[in-house]
Amino acid sequence: MRRKILLIAGIVVLFMIAFVGAIFWMLPTDSIRHLAEKTIEKQLKQKQSVEIEDLSISPLLNVTMKGFRMTPRVADMSAAALATEGGTFDGYYCAPYVEDQSFVIDKIFVSPTLSSLLSKKYAGKFELKLRDGIIDGSVKTIEKKMQLMASGKSISLNEFALLSNVTKTQLYGDLSFDLRATTDANKLAELSVKMNSNNTVMCPKRFKLKAQGIPYIEFPFTIFGNIVADIEIANDKIIINQLTSDGPDIVLKVTGDIMLKSSKNPDVRLNLVADIKPSQSWVEDNDMKVIYQVCEKLDDGGIRLTLRGTTKKLKHDCGTPIPEPVVEAPVPEAPNADASAENPKTAKEKTVEEKKEVDDKPAAEPAAERPKSPRNRAMPSRPTIVGEKKKVMNDAVRRPFDSSTISEEQIKKHPELFDLPKTGKPELDRRLQRIDEEFNRDFQNQPSQQERSNQRARYMRSVKGE
């Protein structure tokens, strides 16, 4: 009898398992998947289209979705008008501009609590896989408010399309976070986020400006390093408890708050203080010294920027820029002037001695009269050096002889008058020396006065037929 009872009980259990399995086997998963897509799109106010490749439900009501894809319905092409050159920077590829991309989750696993389904107080756990990253957490309902706890690890910023679609900025880094949020009637009531981003890099980006004559400002490729943030949202107010980066390109520290739009606040209102310290190499490599022409340069090379007011009437202050002093080259002092100033008596005696030497020199003999003769051809002129300013010689070094009467004896007697003056520039002195050598060579190759007379006599005899 006992054996028959156990046999019947076993058959009933197997029947129930088979029946429940058949129910879930025969569930219209395609219809459920389509219903899930439409429900999520409705929650997103039809701004995103949702696609789910596969959906399955286990007998314990665990739901598994694969290939979840969320794509903006209307593509925002405003970033294309501010495209940069793009390229590869320090091994990171940066696109000219950021296009709207689909946010893809490889796998979503939801495990609801059965008792919460019966009491209509939703609760359960979830896990999301995004490439190498994982986001897991839990959801529970407390007094008609839903509380969400989540943590993320090893999330690639370059593949996190939700962030790039909002900021229109291409970022690299490894993100991890802890999040706690509370919603009331499907509206965000409170939010607390603690975030760490390692090896954070920002690609070049152009920001649109409303200033007249300046259409945009371009922010260069920048390595922020490790970013730490502690941010809260409460009563329509974003409170930044901590937002720092450790460089190497920029060391950043931001504190303050942002009042969001609400029934009491028609405009976004900012109250922020940012200490920004760029590295010297980043400033010089990207030609960003202009920031010190707009903002005051602090002792450590950074600036302090304050932003206050609404976005429509935003007031910014970063101090009064102080022009950097211009270091002038020292002017060499004349040694004779110093000597005269130190000992006036010695300078006076020296002047008297120089004058006496000049008076004792014999007077120059008058030059012998040269017989008149046809003027010889002019000596070749010095070619003009392109790109160099013409140097005017003073009377002390200007050549005193006419080009038609210069003789080799005069050149040998006064060689110092035919030496070129030094300009103090080695390259220019060498070029002038070569020109002078060519000039002297052409002069020496000219026929002498006697040769020119003989040539003229032979010419006249040929004309007369002699």
Side-chain angles (χ1 to χ4, degrees), residues 94-106:
C94 296
Y97 64 94
V98 176
E99 298 179 353
D100 285 343
Q101 301 178 4
S102 299
F103 176 55
V104 179
I105 303 176
D106 297 328

Side-chain angles (χ1 to χ4, degrees), residues 12-29 57-61:
V12 171
V13 171
L14 291 174
F15 175 78
M16 292 297 296
I17 294 174
F19 178 75
V20 173
I23 291 176
F24 284 97
W25 181 265
M26 298 299 293
L27 279 177
T29 54
I57 303 175
S58 70
L60 298 178
L61 300 181

Side-chain angles (χ1 to χ4, degrees), residues 195-200 224-229 243-246 252:
M195 180 190 70
N196 291 275
S197 179
N198 300 326
N199 303 321
T200 310
F224 287 94
N226 300 319
I227 296 178
V228 179
L243 178 57
T244 60
S245 69
D246 59 4
L252 180 68

Side-chain angles (χ1 to χ4, degrees), residues 350-362:
K350 186 176 181 182
T351 305
V352 173
E353 291 178 358
E354 291 178 352
K355 184 176 181 180
K356 184 178 181 181
E357 291 179 358
V358 173
D359 295 338
D360 293 341
K361 286 184 179 181

Side-chain angles (χ1 to χ4, degrees), residues 275-299:
D275 292 323
I276 306 169
K277 182 182 176 182
S279 66
Q280 188 67 23
S281 59
W282 182 85
V283 171
E284 294 177 355
D285 295 344
N286 298 287
D287 195 17
M288 293 296 290
K289 292 184 179 180
V290 66
I291 61 176
Y292 299 130
Q293 299 176 6
V294 179
C295 299
E296 179 182 355
K297 182 179 180 181
L298 304 180
D299 294 338

Side-chain angles (χ1 to χ4, degrees), residues 52-63:
I52 301 174
E53 293 182 2
D54 183 64
L55 184 145
S56 61
I57 303 175
S58 70
L60 298 178
L61 300 181
N62 295 331
V63 180

